[in-house]
Amino acid sequence: MQFHGRRKKFISSPQTELYGCALQFYGQPPLENISLTEFEAFAVDRLKLLKSVETLGVRHVKTTEDYKKKLETESKNLNFPYRPPSQTDQRKPQIGLSEHEKRRKDHISHFILRLAYCQTEDLRRWFIQQEVDLFRYRFNELEAKQKLEFLHKNNLQYNTISAEEKMSLQEKLINSSYNVSGITVKDQDFYKVPFQDALDLVRTRKVYLKAGYVYIPHQDIVAIVINDFRTRLSKALALAARSLPAVHSDERLQPLLNHLSHAYVGQDYSVQKNVGKISLEQIDSLSVKSFPLCMRQLHQALRENHHLRHGGRMQYGLFLKGIGLSLEQALQFWRLEFIRGKVDADKFDKAYTYGIRHMFGKEGKRADYTPYSCMKVILSNLPSQGDHHGCPFRHSDPELLKQKLQVYKVSPSGISQILELVKGMHYQLACQKYFELTHNVEDANFSLNHPNQYFVESQKALGGGGGGGGGGGGKDIKREMGTPQRSRENSAVRGSTAAPEAAASASRDLAEIPEDLDSYFQDA
């Protein structure tokens, strides 16, 4: 599978035939060469699409028109295939990418994210679920003739029951199957398959089950096609995981793949619009009204203990920087709080001032650190005993999370909704639900991906104008910088966890990576 190099002109090939289909199982990997710029752009766009699939799947029933329309809009905006073109569509002049180019992008981007999301069990599970939901939507959009063509081209042959068996089971098929009458039993085929191949239909009691087999009407054939797709994709990810060492030996791809799995694809909050417009006296009240739960938790721990460990200082310090705290304000804020505890002013200056200045790009490599996104908080630097950083929805025990939400006066029904989202591992959606409940909003019209985004949206909802929030004209995708150099006090104890330099040194050697992508991968 070759992704590097420059894209060649399109010529007729087996790949051409592959893109002639409206839908595919992604059984054949891409064979052409593409530039690293296109590699990155395709991967980021598909990641945006899959995140939209996740959000819409939680907020809407997946078969409703509202769900279909919103997913179609998202696919269209990102230049992915969203429905097979009709004869009328084919006569219209092409605007933007052609259908062939969209299918090519869909094919290549799927395989790129396979490499990024095959690395851990959690990543594989998330990727499979979103790809399955996307496949279900696309399959259901096919016309009946196109569905049969798809089954034929992929050698999906399911055993149909005989007319005699169908008539003998007619009453049971009508009573067990959804939207099936005596007329429709006669007019459509029924497939007899092992029950484990159609667990979704068994779970919802939509099929007749007998002696370990289910009888599926043709209208519900999507269930067994999806199961086949899920099985194939699961096996493919396992194979991809085995080949990772060979892929990682390519220094051009390694830094990109390593960060795609928790890449942030939203607004860049490292650019401060309102530096110094938030006073230190406002922070306590803002923490209650406008901080996401992770930052509210850190602020409360800092006030109670007059100290935060390194992970907490990084996560909270960069968040405060993102909402508008200047370097001078940050030094004053941390000094005042730490000297209330066991750290005197002299020790603070020697052990902690350097780290804060480093965070603002005034020491060391002088790199401007970026506030952590939700994915960065959830996936990196897991908290241990005595730590207060991380995502409360991901890293807290459900019972402790429930108690915390009760203290913050979230309603019992709201707590149940949040815990249900947490149970389904939808941590960012749980945080968005917390936003809606604490701001009395029925449906937040944004997709939450960043703690600083939470703050900005909260200030808008409360009429505060957004506070400090970063520039809207920043890069579309911004890689958060790694952990800064440890303070002198902690370097001996925690030196082993300092930010790795490997990705930075590798990315500096990439001749084909454009300047903005090169800066995206530099470590601080």
Side-chain angles (χ1 to χ4, degrees), residues 209-251:
L209 174 63
K210 177 184 177 184
Y213 287 88
V214 291
Y215 294 78
I216 303 176
H218 181 76
Q219 66 188 34
D220 292 329
I221 193 71
V222 63
I224 45 180
V225 176
I226 283 174
N227 184 72
D228 204 328
F229 176 70
R230 186 193 299 272
T231 302
R232 294 186 191 205
L233 182 55
S234 181
K235 290 179 180 177
L237 287 172
L239 289 173
R242 278 192 237 162
S243 66
L244 273 179
V247 175
H248 283 174
S249 65
D250 188 331
E251 292 181 344

Side-chain angles (χ1 to χ4, degrees), residues 234-277:
S234 181
K235 290 179 180 177
L237 287 172
L239 289 173
R242 278 192 237 162
S243 66
L244 273 179
V247 175
H248 283 174
S249 65
D250 188 331
E251 292 181 344
R252 294 169 298 178
L253 299 184
Q254 183 187 14
L256 180 55
L257 292 175
N258 282 348
H259 294 96
L260 263 178
S261 59
H262 55 274
Y264 169 60
V265 292
Q267 182 173 308
D268 178 2
Y269 289 97
S270 65
V271 183
Q272 295 171 284
K273 278 185 175 179
N274 300 317
V275 178
K277 290 192 176 180

